[in-house]
Amino acid sequence: MSEPLAEPTTAQAVVDVAVVYAGDYVNKMSGQRIERECLTRMERGCRALVINFQDTELVNSIGVSILLGVIDAAEQSGTRLAFSNVSVHTLKLFELLGLTRLVVLADSEEAALATLEEFSATPPGH
Amino acid sequence: MSDSTRMVLHAFAALADLGEEIAETSDFEEMVRSALHVVLGTMGIRRGAVAEFDRGTGVLRFVASRGFGDTHPAEVNLPRKSREGANGNGNGDGSAPYAHALQDYALVEHEIHERFHEAGVEVVTPLVVRGELVGVILLGGKASGVAFTQEDRELARALGRHVGVGLHNHRLLREVERRAEENQKLYETMKGSYKDTVRAFAAAIDCKDKYTQGHSERVGKYSEIIAREMGWGDEEVEAIAIGGYLHDVGKLVVDRDIINAPYRIDAKQSSELNRHPAAGYEILRPIQHPFADIPLMARYHHERPDGRGYPEGLKDEEIPPGAKIVSLADSFDAMTTDRPYRRRRTFDEVVADFRRNSGKQFSPQVVVALCRALLKEARGETRPRQMMRLLGRDYVPEHTLPALEQLIADLESGAHLTTAQASGPA
């Protein structure tokens, strides 16, 4: 089902779902890379996105702001967004700053994909 | 770790990030965008903007914005009420209307808040540096949905102080750039006036000699071309052109009858005429020229590498390079223009003169440069063909070019010295 991309460490497309891998430190540079990747997927019609934080140890303020921007862009384009594999430390920060209210959270990438598929199977209005 | 400790650590880290971003001065708008990211990311805010305040016009210009879409204009004009503060304590003299006026920042906050409330702005933070409003930060609601606390507002102000410093530094930098640009324009204007004055002088010099109209200007042009061919820089080339224009300024003190004598002048008259390089130096020396050595070019343009020139009889290495160039340009123009007592020389004759006098009257390196420039123009390798325009299109015939090339080769190899020695007196 998955379809590896040219840069498999960055993102992996799964039909109309894409998985974007955040690096170990989400700051301005890596945040912009995540943002670019997500926006490109959305522009290409992807309507479900997972950002996998499995390697992420730290997210700084610029990283948080960029993620909030990605959340906005996903909302505007009708793309479902999930964060997966978020460490306890990062999860706490996301909670305090309100990000967890805006995205689907999953322990693993598979769980995130399953959740997004569930959503997509639900007919509109339900 | 408690939530409040976690938030304090996050804010501290944000302050450090902000410091780094503010230090980035090469791209102002990118710096402001990054600063806005820091502020939004510190408090988990989805919408925000940073606007810069122009104290001269009272306009707030949005430099970075996130999440507002097109709901706000690019610029906002602050009404005078806000600009002058609640106490109405503006300057009143129109000199710097907003420099000291914006003391009641609450009024600015209120004004902006009123305008942007519907767009979702919840907090307005004026950016003040040294008592002067430099901009504002507009913040939308927190992603957590929790209302802003007093601590949040304090944090926004603390971050805002850094952002304000970034805006202020940028303003100072622009001011410095503007002044530098003004100074540059002023300098160019003054240089233009100087050149016009020099041209007027050159025309005055040439007016005195009815047979050499345009001589100074041509010497200036030839000198410029030779210097460029020798690889001189733009400033030095400009200087040598001026030196060429002014080389005969000393003739202003020589009797007009001597200058215009339609016959060979006697020894006394010749001595009088030969005063003109030293007189030129005395005229030019007190002037603050934008280029060095111009008085020296006038003083030494009749010196010769063999030491038989005047006024001091300097030898090759003692003669300033600029004077050597002006000397050849001066002689070249004399050879290639008609005089009352003789017609101008043919190009063949000029080449022969160069061959005969290189190392004696003229510096061989300078002769090579002039010959190269002539060769390039004659072959159409350089545009515009400045010398051909001055000499006349057909002055350098095709058949003379091999001799010109041979002269260049001989001068470069030193072969002309052997020839000169062989043909010299026993």
Side-chain angles (χ1 to χ4, degrees):
Chain A
M1 182 165 170
S2 71
E3 181 189 313
L5 297 172
E7 291 177 14
T9 53
T10 308
Q12 189 177 46
V14 189
V15 191
D16 64 344
V17 182
V19 181
V20 176
Y21 296 94
D24 55 351
Y25 180 28
V26 181
N27 57 4
K28 182 176 170 181
M29 199 183 289
S30 60
Q32 284 173 339
R33 202 165 55 234
I34 293 168
E35 183 183 40
R36 225 172 14 247
E37 196 70 51
C38 290
L39 295 180
T40 306
R41 299 290 150 203
M42 289 180 218
E43 278 167 18
R44 290 183 188 168
C46 184
R47 288 294 165 261
L49 269 172
V50 177
I51 302 178
N52 186 330
F53 290 90
Q54 65 188 11
D55 297 323
T56 305
E57 290 171 14
L58 198 62
V59 181
N60 78 354
S61 55
I62 299 184
V64 169
S65 176
I66 291 173
L67 290 173
L68 282 167
V70 172
I71 292 169
D72 274 350
E75 278 181 9
Q76 280 164 23
S77 68
T79 306
R80 296 178 306 282
L81 186 62
F83 287 180
S84 78
N85 305 74
V86 185
S87 71
V88 175
H89 172 78
T90 304
L91 184 64
K92 196 69 199 165
L93 183 70
F94 286 174
E95 273 175 10
L96 288 167
L97 296 173
L99 276 74
T100 50
R101 297 174 70 224
L102 307 170
V103 294
V104 173
L105 283 168
D107 290 338
S108 66
E109 187 179 308
E110 294 72 26
L113 289 169
T115 310
L116 293 179
E117 274 181 20
E118 246 175 62
F119 277 123
S120 79
T122 311
H126 289 260
Chain B
M1 190 190 297
S2 70
D3 290 353
S4 59
T5 307
R6 201 178 291 277
M7 283 304 286
V8 166
L9 288 177
H10 180 61
F12 267 126
L15 273 171
D17 293 336
L18 191 54
E20 256 180 54
E21 297 303 329
I22 298 298
E24 168 59 56
T25 53
S26 60
D27 184 341
F28 171 66
E29 298 201 349
E30 176 61 22
M31 181 274 280
V32 178
R33 268 195 298 275
S34 299
L36 177 63
H37 268 311
V38 172
V39 176
L40 300 182
T42 304
M43 290 184 277
I45 297 167
R46 300 177 73 174
R47 295 171 172 186
V50 176
E52 186 186 22
F53 180 64
D54 183 332
R55 63 179 168 170
T57 60
V59 167
L60 274 173
R61 183 181 71 89
F62 285 88
V63 185
S65 172
R66 233 270 313 278
F68 289 119
D70 299 327
T71 57
H72 69 75
E75 290 184 349
V76 172
N77 205 341
L78 276 185
R80 185 152 289 276
K81 183 180 68 168
S82 299
R83 289 185 239 153
E84 294 187 348
N87 301 326
N89 53 357
N91 282 0
D93 60 2
S95 56
Y98 315 109
H100 308 290
L102 288 152
Q103 296 185 357
D104 191 344
Y105 303 113
L107 201 61
V108 177
E109 277 187 60
H110 178 72
E111 176 71 35
I112 302 289
H113 201 269
E114 284 284 294
R115 290 203 188 197
F116 292 97
H117 183 65
E118 279 190 19
V121 171
E122 293 190 14
V123 170
V124 176
T125 305
L127 307 176
V128 180
V129 177
R130 292 180 185 166
E132 207 179 275
L133 184 76
V134 294
V136 290
I137 299 181
L138 281 63
L139 300 174
K142 289 158 71 175
S144 62
V146 177
F148 279 95
T149 62
Q150 189 54 35
E151 284 77 17
D152 290 331
R153 291 172 196 274
E154 289 295 334
L155 180 57
R157 272 196 278 274
L159 294 168
R161 273 195 285 277
H162 287 266
V163 181
V165 167
L167 295 182
H168 185 66
N169 286 349
H170 177 64
R171 178 187 286 181
L172 291 179
L173 195 66
R174 270 187 314 198
E175 184 64 17
V176 168
E177 283 171 353
R178 191 184 62 77
R179 289 192 185 179
E181 208 173 292
E182 270 179 17
N183 285 345
Q184 182 63 31
K185 277 184 191 158
L186 195 64
Y187 173 70
E188 293 298 335
T189 307
M190 285 174 68
K191 213 156 81 167
S193 303
Y194 171 79
K195 284 181 184 170
D196 288 346
T197 308
V198 165
R199 281 199 190 93
F201 252 97
I205 298 160
D206 293 345
C207 267
K208 195 160 183 187
D209 184 344
K210 66 179 178 185
Y211 302 122
T212 58
Q213 291 257 319
H215 169 71
S216 299
E217 184 156 356
R218 287 192 298 274
V219 171
K221 286 258 184 279
Y222 292 138
S223 300
E224 187 181 330
I225 292 164
I226 295 168
R228 207 174 283 290
E229 185 63 35
M230 291 176 81
W232 287 27
D234 289 345
E235 283 272 309
E236 293 164 309
V237 168
E238 269 191 77
I240 194 100
I242 301 291
Y245 278 119
L246 295 176
H247 74 287
D248 270 346
V249 69
K251 281 188 177 171
L252 290 174
V253 301
V254 177
D255 191 332
R256 186 185 284 268
D257 292 340
I258 295 175
I259 294 171
N260 290 319
Y263 49 81
R264 185 172 283 276
I265 53 176
D266 62 26
K268 193 179 166 199
Q269 289 169 320
S270 181
S271 164
E272 171 72 10
L273 182 62
N274 291 356
R275 278 179 53 223
H276 81 271
Y281 174 76
E282 292 305 325
I283 292 169
L284 296 173
R285 194 170 54 96
I287 300 169
Q288 288 277 324
H289 300 276
F291 311 106
D293 292 349
I294 287 172
L296 294 179
M297 292 178 204
R299 185 180 182 93
Y300 296 126
H301 76 276
H302 278 294
E303 295 290 356
R304 299 165 48 119
D306 62 7
R308 294 174 58 205
Y310 61 92
E312 293 178 25
L314 300 180
K315 288 208 168 173
D316 191 23
E317 292 306 313
E318 298 168 322
I319 306 169
K324 289 180 182 174
I325 293 175
V326 173
S327 167
L328 179 65
D330 186 26
S331 297
F332 181 63
D333 186 61
M335 285 188 253
T336 55
T337 46
D338 292 333
R339 295 292 158 100
Y341 42 85
R342 61 159 174 78
R343 288 194 58 76
R344 72 172 177 173
R345 294 184 187 177
T346 65
F347 191 63
D348 278 325
E349 290 168 334
V350 171
V351 173
D353 192 291
F354 282 169
R355 181 175 286 282
R356 200 167 45 248
N357 286 308
S358 285
K360 295 177 187 168
Q361 186 180 350
F362 310 124
S363 160
Q365 294 95 323
V366 180
V367 174
V368 166
L370 175 59
C371 291
R372 279 195 182 286
L374 280 164
L375 199 60
K376 285 180 188 170
E377 284 204 19
R379 287 178 175 160
E381 291 170 11
T382 47
R383 300 273 171 194
R385 299 168 75 186
Q386 291 173 294
M387 281 194 289
M388 295 306 152
R389 201 176 293 152
L390 295 173
L391 294 165
R393 209 175 41 170
D394 303 323
Y395 184 69
V396 181
E398 184 75 28
H399 76 267
T400 60
L401 299 186
L404 193 59
E405 279 179 294
Q406 189 57 50
L407 176 61
I408 293 169
D410 289 347
L411 291 176
E412 284 183 329
S413 66
H416 71 291
L417 295 175
T418 318
T419 315
Q421 281 160 2
S423 62

